[in-house]
Amino acid sequence: MNTNTTTNSKNGIEISPHLLSKYPFLLSPLSSLPTIHYPTYTDFGVGAYIFTSKSQHHQNNTNSDPRTNSDPHLLLLHRSPTDSYPLHWESPGGGADPSLDDTLVSALCREVVEETGLQVTKVVDLVAVDEWSKLLPGGQGEKKVIKWGFLVEVAETDSVKLNPEEHCAFRWVDEEELRGAIGDGDIEGERMKFIGDQGRNLLKAFEVFRGWYTSSSSEEEEKEEEKTHVEC
């Protein structure tokens, strides 16, 4: 059940209350994740799924209110040819850093700013959780990673600024284009590669986007959902 009511986080970013209810560790000190919440993991990551509309993108309109977005396009970043997984496509995101981030939410906001120049204003919903592990060299043990990917809103979407050390290009794609890229491997003749299950997660982001904003597109629907939520 969706609702537009939000709760302010410590750094002023809005977070949908159902997220804090289900995942209270989002605003917990980052140091508590491996010691209290997820003791079997060594590293933690975050990802952001950012949408705009075709009309906003082409008309240079900074109004990124998703409730008026009838033609959603998802932001994809093209990894640098000199970085790991060269020239793969992905959504913004990266690892949480205890020396830089107080919480997972602050890590999410920092990664989005560093990779796109965009300012997160709201963490809307969880899209995907990925887990993986790999052996460290020299018999130093195993690295176990868990990464949360969130649907987010940003202040505006027409001012993407890439970090050239990490990404060399960006593209806004609609769901049909994305399905074609995953199925055939290209958009407009350009071959696209994705890391692991990221293609599936990107499609899931469209599903979550539609589920969230379609159900909250009118004031009457919002009121009815809030009433139902309270009664439950």
Side-chain angles (χ1 to χ4, degrees), residues 93-115:
D97 186 340
S99 67
L100 299 174
D101 309 312
D102 296 328
T103 66
L104 280 178
V105 171
S106 60
L108 178 66
C109 297
R110 175 185 57 77
E111 283 290 342
V112 171
V113 168
E114 288 181 356
E115 295 188 354

Side-chain angles (χ1 to χ4, degrees), residues 6 180 186:
T6 55
D186 67 83

Side-chain angles (χ1 to χ4, degrees), residues 2 4 49-54 56 64-75 124-128 149-154 157 172-175 201-217:
N2 297 333
N4 278 347
Y49 299 95
I50 302 170
F51 284 86
T52 188
S53 72
K54 185 175 181 180
Q56 290 165 356
S64 56
D65 185 350
R67 290 169 295 183
T68 64
N69 189 346
S70 60
D71 187 16
H73 282 58
L74 177 64
L75 178 62
V124 179
D125 207 350
L126 180 69
V127 173
F150 296 96
L151 172 64
V152 304
E153 294 177 7
V154 295
T157 58
W172 296 97
V173 299
D174 63 23
E175 186 172 5
N201 290 347
L202 294 168
L203 287 175
K204 179 68 179 299
F206 277 93
E207 178 183 334
V208 174
F209 179 93
R210 289 194 307 270
W212 184 269
Y213 293 109
T214 299
S215 63
S216 60
S217 60

Side-chain angles (χ1 to χ4, degrees), residues 34-221:
T35 59
I36 300 176
H37 301 287
Y38 289 89
T40 61
Y41 294 90
T42 60
D43 293 79
F44 305 91
V46 288
Y49 299 95
I50 302 170
F51 284 86
T52 188
S53 72
K54 185 175 181 180
S55 60
Q56 290 165 356
H57 177 50
H58 287 286
Q59 295 176 15
N60 199 33
N61 188 337
T62 60
N63 176 19
S64 56
D65 185 350
R67 290 169 295 183
T68 64
N69 189 346
S70 60
D71 187 16
H73 282 58
L74 177 64
L75 178 62
L76 298 183
L77 306 182
H78 204 191
R79 292 182 67 87
S80 167
T82 59
D83 203 354
S84 58
Y85 297 101
L87 301 180
H88 283 65
W89 290 87
E90 63 182 359
S91 60
D97 186 340
S99 67
L100 299 174
D101 309 312
D102 296 328
T103 66
L104 280 178
V105 171
S106 60
L108 178 66
C109 297
R110 175 185 57 77
E111 283 290 342
V112 171
V113 168
E114 288 181 356
E115 295 188 354
T116 70
L118 303 177
Q119 298 285 339
V120 173
T121 58
K122 180 178 178 181
V123 184
V124 179
D125 207 350
L126 180 69
V127 173
V129 180
D130 294 310
E131 304 174 43
W132 67 92
S133 62
K134 67 176 182 178
L135 295 176
L136 298 174
Q140 300 181 53
E142 186 180 30
K143 178 179 180 179
K144 298 191 67 176
V145 184
I146 182 169
K147 178 182 177 181
W148 295 270
F150 296 96
L151 172 64
V152 304
E153 294 177 7
V154 295
E156 59 181 42
T157 58
D158 67 341
S159 57
V160 176
K161 297 179 181 179
L162 301 179
N163 178 349
E165 294 183 358
E166 297 189 54
H167 299 99
C168 58
F170 71 92
R171 183 189 291 270
W172 296 97
V173 299
D174 63 23
E175 186 172 5
E176 182 178 356
E177 289 174 322
L178 180 60
R179 288 188 182 278
I182 294 172
D184 302 328
D186 67 83
I187 292 181
E188 298 177 354
E190 179 181 351
R191 185 159 184 82
M192 303 190 78
K193 297 182 293 184
F194 301 96
I195 303 170
D197 291 330
Q198 292 310 300
R200 181 189 65 186
N201 290 347
L202 294 168
L203 287 175
K204 179 68 179 299
F206 277 93
E207 178 183 334
V208 174
F209 179 93
R210 289 194 307 270
W212 184 269
Y213 293 109
T214 299
S215 63
S216 60
S217 60
S218 72
E219 185 175 352
E220 287 300 319
E221 288 175 335

